[in-house]
Amino acid sequence: MVLARPLVALLAPGFLADAGAVAAGRAVVDRFELAVGAVRVLFPMTGCLVLSVWALGVLNSHRRFFLPYFAPVLWNSSMIAALLLAGHAAGAWPAAAAGHALAAPALRDRLLAAFCWGAVAGGLLQFLVQLPLVARVIRGFRLGFSIRGPEVREALAAWGPVVAGRGVVQIAGYVDLFLATLLATGAAGADRYAQMLYILPISLFGMSIAASELPELSRLRGAAAAPALLARVRRALAAVAFLNVPTVVGYLAFGYLVVGAVYRRGSFG
């Protein structure tokens, strides 16, 4: 939060020129200042989401899947509710219905602030709703900081490959954002809109199958369990392919229809 300005400058260098453009009358929005303010508000939400993922891991290991994967609904609902309430209080939605422009800086900043604080509240709710069930399944749990336990060492050893695998996606996203901010205004937004669509099949089909299979795979240990382990991996990969391959074909064949069905609403032309 303290280093929000240099971080935004590093990841979105194209926003740095906005202050001069606004002063010269060539632009009406300083995206750099908006991004810095949003990062400072949203970062506590990230902490809540990390705790939520910890709760998800605990519940998955006890074969409890519904609540941790339903909890993000509260996060999204909080953001939507915050936008609706802020827009209603500002009279934005009646103005939109009447066809009036909604680009006034004060209204824009108010809606952005409402969205960010709604995201923080939603992240907290996403964690808190899981806590009662987590408390029941880890009854007797004692907090410790030793790294001598074999389970802790095993988790630390697995951490590197996990970061390498998942980190590639994050780094690629940062590179995309870096490049998009150097292009025309709106390119970074278009990139995010596209990411939402291409990540959707991974989230729906890949992650859901992984979430249900990984706790079972972790229980299969030793040489005697190798045939069962291989069979489960093959079955999981087949299920992922069965769902994702048709999705890829659908995106390639009907990409414009998919984008239009999801995004072409209101002023999104």
Side-chain angles (χ1 to χ4, degrees):
M1 294 166 72
V2 172
L3 299 175
R5 301 185 75 85
L7 285 173
V8 173
L10 175 66
L11 295 174
F15 291 175
L16 291 172
D18 284 10
V22 171
R26 299 192 307 271
V28 296
V29 177
D30 186 345
R31 295 171 295 170
F32 181 79
E33 292 298 332
L34 288 178
V36 168
V39 166
R40 287 174 172 161
V41 175
L42 288 173
F43 190 77
M45 174 204 71
T46 307
C48 293
L49 295 182
V50 170
L51 292 172
S52 177
V53 173
W54 168 78
L56 178 148
V58 171
L59 294 177
N60 279 3
S61 67
H62 289 82
R63 298 188 174 101
R64 306 294 181 90
F65 299 107
F66 176 76
L67 183 61
Y69 287 96
F70 174 79
V73 172
L74 298 176
W75 180 44
N76 287 278
S77 299
S78 295
M79 291 184 282
I80 294 171
L83 279 174
L84 291 175
L85 290 174
H88 179 74
W93 311 139
H100 297 156
L102 300 177
L107 176 59
R108 177 202 62 218
D109 295 349
R110 183 169 181 173
L111 292 178
L112 177 62
F115 175 82
C116 292
W117 285 109
V120 174
L124 183 61
L125 285 174
Q126 181 175 330
F127 171 56
L128 293 178
V129 75
Q130 300 178 76
L131 268 188
L133 184 55
V134 170
R136 287 204 298 271
V137 301
I138 64 170
R139 189 172 291 132
F141 167 79
R142 290 182 301 170
L143 183 64
F145 297 97
S146 173
I147 63 171
R148 295 179 179 178
E151 294 85 358
V152 177
R153 290 179 178 273
E154 184 179 352
L156 290 175
W159 180 78
V162 170
V163 171
R166 297 295 296 276
V168 168
V169 179
Q170 300 295 332
I171 293 173
Y174 288 139
V175 172
D176 289 346
L177 174 64
F178 179 92
L179 295 174
T181 62
L182 300 174
L183 302 175
T185 300
D191 175 60
R192 290 303 181 200
Y193 291 134
Q195 282 193 14
M196 292 293 288
L197 284 179
Y198 78 69
I199 290 176
L200 183 62
I202 302 172
S203 301
L204 286 177
F205 306 138
M207 296 303 295
S208 60
I209 292 172
S212 60
E213 286 295 330
L214 286 176
E216 304 306 318
L217 292 172
S218 67
R219 292 180 171 89
L220 299 173
R221 293 173 174 270
L229 181 70
L230 184 59
R232 289 200 76 100
V233 170
R234 284 176 172 169
R235 185 171 63 186
L237 290 175
V240 171
F242 177 78
L243 295 167
N244 273 314
V245 170
T247 304
V248 172
V249 174
Y251 273 15
L252 292 174
F254 308 109
Y256 284 99
L257 294 177
V258 172
V259 173
V262 175
Y263 287 133
R264 185 164 280 180
R265 299 285 188 274
S267 60
F268 199 117

